[in-house]
Amino acid sequence: MPLTFSMNENKLRDQIADIGRTLYTRGLAHGSAGNISVRLDDGFLITPTNTCMGRLAPERISKVSFDGELLSGDRPSKEAFFHLALYEERPQDRAIVHLHSTHSVAVGCLADADPHNVLPPLTAYYVMKVGKLPLVPYYRPGDRTLAAAVRAQAKEHHAMLLANHGPVVSGTSLDGATYAMEELEQTARLYLLLHDHNVRLLTHDQIAELHSAFPS
Ligand code: 13P
């Protein structure tokens, strides 16, 4: 029997597939890497494991309860447990994007990165959309002990970088989380481009002005 979903859930399934396609088309997701989730009232939708973000079938997207149980759809992402940890720590957030986008991953492989804040304040939009970016130590994909490490950062941060793996960003909407993720990836790219240059960063006062003009 075909499953029926509420209108809202249908819309969110379509939105996940649309975002997945745009990220894939522009090279921000490749192969079967990355996952996207959206919070519902009775659980969350998450992309199935081992699927290409560019070719998601909305009706096959997994629905998982807040106990981690699969309610419908294909087998969920092996990272569903850290999405759940983020939702538990950040009740205000409704969507999460995790990518293996090249420039962010590259920065997450730098041995000398400051683990409290991996990227400097290069631009206003980075400060407005991401702010600080802590580094989460390396765990293999699907390692459930990663949940505790993600949870530890999630109280204070909606964006974090998994070492030698990729960025994770949550937001109050799927569009918001995606915009922040794209800003993070482009800033990582800028950071690598500017590697050998003497860079002028935003000052403390400029950052404070941004926070007061654009409170998150
Ligand atoms: P899944 O295919 O299980 O979602 O894993 C992809 C990924 O990005 C692992 O970090």
mmCIF file of all heavy atoms in Angstrom, residues 30 32-36 46-53 75-80 82-83 98-100 140-142 146 162 165-166, ligand 1:
data_model
loop_
_atom_site.group_PDB
_atom_site.id
_atom_site.type_symbol
_atom_site.label_atom_id
_atom_site.label_comp_id
_atom_site.label_asym_id
_atom_site.label_seq_id
_atom_site.Cartn_x
_atom_site.Cartn_y
_atom_site.Cartn_z
ATOM 1 N N HIS A 30 29.158 14.896 -3.505
ATOM 2 C CA HIS A 30 29.599 13.985 -4.563
ATOM 3 C C HIS A 30 29.360 12.546 -4.116
ATOM 4 O O HIS A 30 29.242 12.280 -2.907
ATOM 5 C CB HIS A 30 31.093 14.196 -4.859
ATOM 6 C CG HIS A 30 31.950 13.988 -3.651
ATOM 7 N ND1 HIS A 30 32.244 15.001 -2.756
ATOM 8 C CD2 HIS A 30 32.519 12.871 -3.144
ATOM 9 C CE1 HIS A 30 32.979 14.517 -1.774
ATOM 10 N NE2 HIS A 30 33.166 13.222 -1.975
ATOM 11 N N SER A 32 28.083 9.291 -2.755
ATOM 12 C CA SER A 32 26.971 9.113 -1.807
ATOM 13 C C SER A 32 27.281 9.846 -0.504
ATOM 14 O O SER A 32 26.730 9.515 0.548
ATOM 15 C CB SER A 32 26.746 7.628 -1.539
ATOM 16 O OG SER A 32 27.889 7.089 -0.898
ATOM 17 N N ALA A 33 28.191 10.832 -0.574
ATOM 18 C CA ALA A 33 28.602 11.541 0.647
ATOM 19 C C ALA A 33 27.573 12.596 1.035
ATOM 20 O O ALA A 33 26.922 13.191 0.184
ATOM 21 C CB ALA A 33 29.959 12.197 0.426
ATOM 22 N N GLY A 34 27.447 12.818 2.334
ATOM 23 C CA GLY A 34 26.607 13.880 2.874
ATOM 24 C C GLY A 34 25.242 13.361 3.278
ATOM 25 O O GLY A 34 24.812 12.278 2.861
ATOM 26 N N ASN A 35 24.584 14.112 4.122
ATOM 27 C CA ASN A 35 23.210 13.802 4.513
ATOM 28 C C ASN A 35 22.501 15.074 4.967
ATOM 29 O O ASN A 35 23.142 16.040 5.378
ATOM 30 C CB ASN A 35 23.150 12.693 5.582
ATOM 31 C CG ASN A 35 24.353 12.672 6.481
ATOM 32 O OD1 ASN A 35 24.490 13.541 7.334
ATOM 33 N ND2 ASN A 35 25.270 11.726 6.259
ATOM 34 N N ILE A 36 21.181 15.042 4.833
ATOM 35 C CA ILE A 36 20.343 16.208 5.163
ATOM 36 C C ILE A 36 19.200 15.700 6.030
ATOM 37 O O ILE A 36 18.649 14.631 5.760
ATOM 38 C CB ILE A 36 19.730 16.822 3.885
ATOM 39 C CG1 ILE A 36 20.809 17.270 2.902
ATOM 40 C CG2 ILE A 36 18.812 17.991 4.224
ATOM 41 C CD1 ILE A 36 20.249 17.768 1.565
ATOM 42 N N ILE A 46 15.337 12.125 7.232
ATOM 43 C CA ILE A 46 16.777 12.142 6.933
ATOM 44 C C ILE A 46 17.042 11.353 5.655
ATOM 45 O O ILE A 46 16.329 10.372 5.362
ATOM 46 C CB ILE A 46 17.608 11.609 8.129
ATOM 47 C CG1 ILE A 46 19.107 11.799 7.869
ATOM 48 C CG2 ILE A 46 17.274 10.150 8.470
ATOM 49 C CD1 ILE A 46 19.979 11.755 9.118
ATOM 50 N N THR A 47 18.029 11.788 4.908
ATOM 51 C CA THR A 47 18.349 11.105 3.664
ATOM 52 C C THR A 47 18.797 9.671 3.966
ATOM 53 O O THR A 47 19.496 9.419 4.958
ATOM 54 C CB THR A 47 19.446 11.870 2.906
ATOM 55 O OG1 THR A 47 20.500 12.190 3.814
ATOM 56 C CG2 THR A 47 18.908 13.167 2.343
ATOM 57 N N PRO A 48 18.398 8.723 3.118
ATOM 58 C CA PRO A 48 18.781 7.319 3.337
ATOM 59 C C PRO A 48 20.290 7.125 3.182
ATOM 60 O O PRO A 48 20.963 7.905 2.490
ATOM 61 C CB PRO A 48 18.025 6.569 2.240
ATOM 62 C CG PRO A 48 16.916 7.485 1.825
ATOM 63 C CD PRO A 48 17.464 8.874 1.990
ATOM 64 N N THR A 49 20.807 6.070 3.814
ATOM 65 C CA THR A 49 22.243 5.790 3.716
ATOM 66 C C THR A 49 22.611 5.370 2.290
ATOM 67 O O THR A 49 21.788 4.788 1.576
ATOM 68 C CB THR A 49 22.658 4.701 4.741
ATOM 69 O OG1 THR A 49 24.084 4.644 4.786
ATOM 70 C CG2 THR A 49 22.099 3.317 4.404
ATOM 71 N N ASN A 50 23.827 5.721 1.913
ATOM 72 C CA ASN A 50 24.353 5.310 0.600
ATOM 73 C C ASN A 50 23.532 5.790 -0.584
ATOM 74 O O ASN A 50 23.387 5.058 -1.555
ATOM 75 C CB ASN A 50 24.448 3.781 0.524
ATOM 76 C CG ASN A 50 25.741 3.317 1.133
ATOM 77 O OD1 ASN A 50 26.769 3.992 1.001
ATOM 78 N ND2 ASN A 50 25.690 2.202 1.820
ATOM 79 N N THR A 51 22.984 7.000 -0.463
ATOM 80 C CA THR A 51 22.250 7.527 -1.617
ATOM 81 C C THR A 51 22.975 8.762 -2.127
ATOM 82 O O THR A 51 23.681 9.451 -1.378
ATOM 83 C CB THR A 51 20.800 7.933 -1.271
ATOM 84 O OG1 THR A 51 20.834 8.728 -0.100
ATOM 85 C CG2 THR A 51 19.905 6.743 -1.074
ATOM 86 N N CYS A 52 22.753 9.035 -3.400
ATOM 87 C CA CYS A 52 23.351 10.224 -4.009
ATOM 88 C C CYS A 52 22.436 11.410 -3.741
ATOM 89 O O CYS A 52 21.233 11.344 -4.010
ATOM 90 C CB CYS A 52 23.491 9.976 -5.512
ATOM 91 S SG CYS A 52 23.984 11.456 -6.389
ATOM 92 N N MET A 53 23.001 12.478 -3.223
ATOM 93 C CA MET A 53 22.182 13.651 -2.894
ATOM 94 C C MET A 53 21.542 14.269 -4.136
ATOM 95 O O MET A 53 20.572 15.004 -4.034
ATOM 96 C CB MET A 53 23.054 14.696 -2.206
ATOM 97 C CG MET A 53 23.622 14.202 -0.911
ATOM 98 S SD MET A 53 22.692 14.799 0.456
ATOM 99 C CE MET A 53 23.744 16.139 0.883
ATOM 100 N N ARG A 75 16.563 2.646 4.672
ATOM 101 C CA ARG A 75 17.470 2.647 5.828
ATOM 102 C C ARG A 75 18.124 4.032 5.960
ATOM 103 O O ARG A 75 18.654 4.551 4.968
ATOM 104 C CB ARG A 75 18.547 1.572 5.630
ATOM 105 C CG ARG A 75 19.314 1.258 6.898
ATOM 106 C CD ARG A 75 19.726 -0.217 6.917
ATOM 107 N NE ARG A 75 20.779 -0.455 5.940
ATOM 108 C CZ ARG A 75 22.079 -0.333 6.182
ATOM 109 N NH1 ARG A 75 22.498 0.014 7.385
ATOM 110 N NH2 ARG A 75 22.965 -0.576 5.240
ATOM 111 N N PRO A 76 18.039 4.630 7.155
ATOM 112 C CA PRO A 76 18.518 6.009 7.290
ATOM 113 C C PRO A 76 20.038 6.137 7.240
ATOM 114 O O PRO A 76 20.763 5.155 7.438
ATOM 115 C CB PRO A 76 18.009 6.426 8.670
ATOM 116 C CG PRO A 76 17.815 5.154 9.414
ATOM 117 C CD PRO A 76 17.490 4.090 8.405
ATOM 118 N N SER A 77 20.488 7.349 7.015
ATOM 119 C CA SER A 77 21.914 7.668 7.068
ATOM 120 C C SER A 77 22.562 7.051 8.306
ATOM 121 O O SER A 77 21.978 7.064 9.391
ATOM 122 C CB SER A 77 22.082 9.191 7.120
ATOM 123 O OG SER A 77 23.405 9.505 7.453
ATOM 124 N N LYS A 78 23.785 6.590 8.143
ATOM 125 C CA LYS A 78 24.503 6.032 9.296
ATOM 126 C C LYS A 78 24.869 7.126 10.293
ATOM 127 O O LYS A 78 25.336 6.845 11.394
ATOM 128 C CB LYS A 78 25.754 5.267 8.837
ATOM 129 C CG LYS A 78 26.818 6.130 8.170
ATOM 130 C CD LYS A 78 28.073 5.354 7.861
ATOM 131 C CE LYS A 78 28.252 4.900 6.437
ATOM 132 N NZ LYS A 78 27.885 5.825 5.358
ATOM 133 N N GLU A 79 24.661 8.393 9.906
ATOM 134 C CA GLU A 79 24.951 9.518 10.810
ATOM 135 C C GLU A 79 23.688 10.034 11.505
ATOM 136 O O GLU A 79 23.739 11.063 12.179
ATOM 137 C CB GLU A 79 25.605 10.677 10.039
ATOM 138 C CG GLU A 79 26.764 10.305 9.131
ATOM 139 C CD GLU A 79 28.040 9.892 9.866
ATOM 140 O OE1 GLU A 79 27.950 9.364 10.998
ATOM 141 O OE2 GLU A 79 29.128 10.090 9.294
ATOM 142 N N ALA A 80 22.563 9.296 11.359
ATOM 143 C CA ALA A 80 21.295 9.774 11.946
ATOM 144 C C ALA A 80 21.460 10.054 13.440
ATOM 145 O O ALA A 80 20.864 10.984 13.978
ATOM 146 C CB ALA A 80 20.192 8.749 11.712
ATOM 147 N N PHE A 82 23.949 11.353 15.077
ATOM 148 C CA PHE A 82 24.482 12.678 15.476
ATOM 149 C C PHE A 82 23.503 13.791 15.112
ATOM 150 O O PHE A 82 23.472 14.832 15.757
ATOM 151 C CB PHE A 82 25.938 12.920 15.069
ATOM 152 C CG PHE A 82 26.264 13.334 13.658
ATOM 153 C CD1 PHE A 82 25.735 14.477 13.087
ATOM 154 C CD2 PHE A 82 27.189 12.608 12.925
ATOM 155 C CE1 PHE A 82 26.082 14.868 11.803
ATOM 156 C CE2 PHE A 82 27.546 12.977 11.639
ATOM 157 C CZ PHE A 82 26.977 14.119 11.072
ATOM 158 N N HIS A 83 22.676 13.554 14.077
ATOM 159 C CA HIS A 83 21.588 14.520 13.806
ATOM 160 C C HIS A 83 20.667 14.567 15.034
ATOM 161 O O HIS A 83 20.283 15.643 15.488
ATOM 162 C CB HIS A 83 20.798 14.088 12.569
ATOM 163 C CG HIS A 83 21.543 14.276 11.267
ATOM 164 N ND1 HIS A 83 21.156 15.177 10.295
ATOM 165 C CD2 HIS A 83 22.657 13.673 10.781
ATOM 166 C CE1 HIS A 83 21.988 15.112 9.263
ATOM 167 N NE2 HIS A 83 22.918 14.206 9.537
ATOM 168 N N HIS A 98 24.953 17.979 6.448
ATOM 169 C CA HIS A 98 26.330 17.492 6.619
ATOM 170 C C HIS A 98 26.879 17.192 5.229
ATOM 171 O O HIS A 98 26.231 16.504 4.437
ATOM 172 C CB HIS A 98 26.342 16.223 7.477
ATOM 173 C CG HIS A 98 27.628 15.455 7.400
ATOM 174 N ND1 HIS A 98 28.853 16.030 7.698
ATOM 175 C CD2 HIS A 98 27.904 14.173 7.042
ATOM 176 C CE1 HIS A 98 29.806 15.121 7.522
ATOM 177 N NE2 HIS A 98 29.262 13.990 7.117
ATOM 178 N N LEU A 99 28.062 17.748 4.921
ATOM 179 C CA LEU A 99 28.671 17.530 3.603
ATOM 180 C C LEU A 99 30.111 17.054 3.752
ATOM 181 O O LEU A 99 30.714 17.172 4.834
ATOM 182 C CB LEU A 99 28.674 18.839 2.796
ATOM 183 C CG LEU A 99 27.325 19.444 2.402
ATOM 184 C CD1 LEU A 99 27.548 20.745 1.631
ATOM 185 C CD2 LEU A 99 26.489 18.477 1.581
ATOM 186 N N HIS A 100 30.647 16.556 2.646
ATOM 187 C CA HIS A 100 32.082 16.292 2.536
ATOM 188 C C HIS A 100 32.632 17.272 1.494
ATOM 189 O O HIS A 100 33.369 16.878 0.591
ATOM 190 C CB HIS A 100 32.343 14.853 2.094
ATOM 191 C CG HIS A 100 31.881 13.804 3.055
ATOM 192 N ND1 HIS A 100 32.034 12.455 2.822
ATOM 193 C CD2 HIS A 100 31.287 13.909 4.278
ATOM 194 C CE1 HIS A 100 31.536 11.759 3.841
ATOM 195 N NE2 HIS A 100 31.076 12.630 4.739
ATOM 196 N N ARG A 140 35.418 7.580 12.948
ATOM 197 C CA ARG A 140 35.031 7.057 11.641
ATOM 198 C C ARG A 140 33.542 7.340 11.392
ATOM 199 O O ARG A 140 32.763 7.417 12.353
ATOM 200 C CB ARG A 140 35.319 5.561 11.546
ATOM 201 C CG ARG A 140 34.411 4.723 12.397
ATOM 202 C CD ARG A 140 34.272 3.291 11.934
ATOM 203 N NE ARG A 140 33.561 2.500 12.906
ATOM 204 C CZ ARG A 140 32.242 2.517 13.076
ATOM 205 N NH1 ARG A 140 31.480 3.280 12.329
ATOM 206 N NH2 ARG A 140 31.673 1.777 14.009
ATOM 207 N N PRO A 141 33.140 7.491 10.109
ATOM 208 C CA PRO A 141 31.722 7.695 9.811
ATOM 209 C C PRO A 141 30.887 6.575 10.436
ATOM 210 O O PRO A 141 31.265 5.400 10.393
ATOM 211 C CB PRO A 141 31.666 7.629 8.277
ATOM 212 C CG PRO A 141 33.032 8.087 7.851
ATOM 213 C CD PRO A 141 33.985 7.552 8.893
ATOM 214 N N GLY A 142 29.790 6.951 11.059
ATOM 215 C CA GLY A 142 28.897 5.965 11.658
ATOM 216 C C GLY A 142 29.287 5.557 13.078
ATOM 217 O O GLY A 142 28.558 4.801 13.720
ATOM 218 N N LEU A 146 30.697 9.420 18.227
ATOM 219 C CA LEU A 146 30.749 10.779 17.670
ATOM 220 C C LEU A 146 29.591 11.632 18.202
ATOM 221 O O LEU A 146 29.709 12.848 18.326
ATOM 222 C CB LEU A 146 30.710 10.691 16.133
ATOM 223 C CG LEU A 146 30.561 11.975 15.323
ATOM 224 C CD1 LEU A 146 31.702 12.941 15.597
ATOM 225 C CD2 LEU A 146 30.543 11.642 13.818
ATOM 226 N N LEU A 162 33.983 18.319 11.419
ATOM 227 C CA LEU A 162 34.476 17.015 11.868
ATOM 228 C C LEU A 162 35.850 16.807 11.235
ATOM 229 O O LEU A 162 35.983 16.863 9.999
ATOM 230 C CB LEU A 162 33.521 15.897 11.433
ATOM 231 C CG LEU A 162 32.016 16.100 11.746
ATOM 232 C CD1 LEU A 162 31.215 14.889 11.284
ATOM 233 C CD2 LEU A 162 31.793 16.383 13.224
ATOM 234 N N HIS A 165 36.912 14.829 7.859
ATOM 235 C CA HIS A 165 35.614 14.252 7.484
ATOM 236 C C HIS A 165 34.733 15.300 6.794
ATOM 237 O O HIS A 165 34.523 15.201 5.593
ATOM 238 C CB HIS A 165 34.964 13.673 8.753
ATOM 239 C CG HIS A 165 33.655 12.996 8.534
ATOM 240 N ND1 HIS A 165 33.062 12.199 9.484
ATOM 241 C CD2 HIS A 165 32.791 13.005 7.488
ATOM 242 C CE1 HIS A 165 31.914 11.721 9.034
ATOM 243 N NE2 HIS A 165 31.731 12.208 7.819
ATOM 244 N N GLY A 166 34.254 16.313 7.515
ATOM 245 C CA GLY A 166 33.419 17.311 6.850
ATOM 246 C C GLY A 166 32.620 18.157 7.809
ATOM 247 O O GLY A 166 32.548 17.866 8.999
HETATM 248 P P1 13P B 1 25.320 8.014 4.710
HETATM 249 O O1 13P B 1 25.296 7.591 3.242
HETATM 250 O O2 13P B 1 25.068 6.879 5.636
HETATM 251 O O3 13P B 1 24.385 9.201 4.941
HETATM 252 O O4 13P B 1 26.778 8.507 5.008
HETATM 253 C C1 13P B 1 27.327 9.505 4.200
HETATM 254 C C2 13P B 1 28.231 10.385 4.973
HETATM 255 O O5 13P B 1 28.317 11.545 4.667
HETATM 256 C C3 13P B 1 29.032 9.800 6.068
HETATM 257 O O6 13P B 1 29.612 10.807 6.823
#
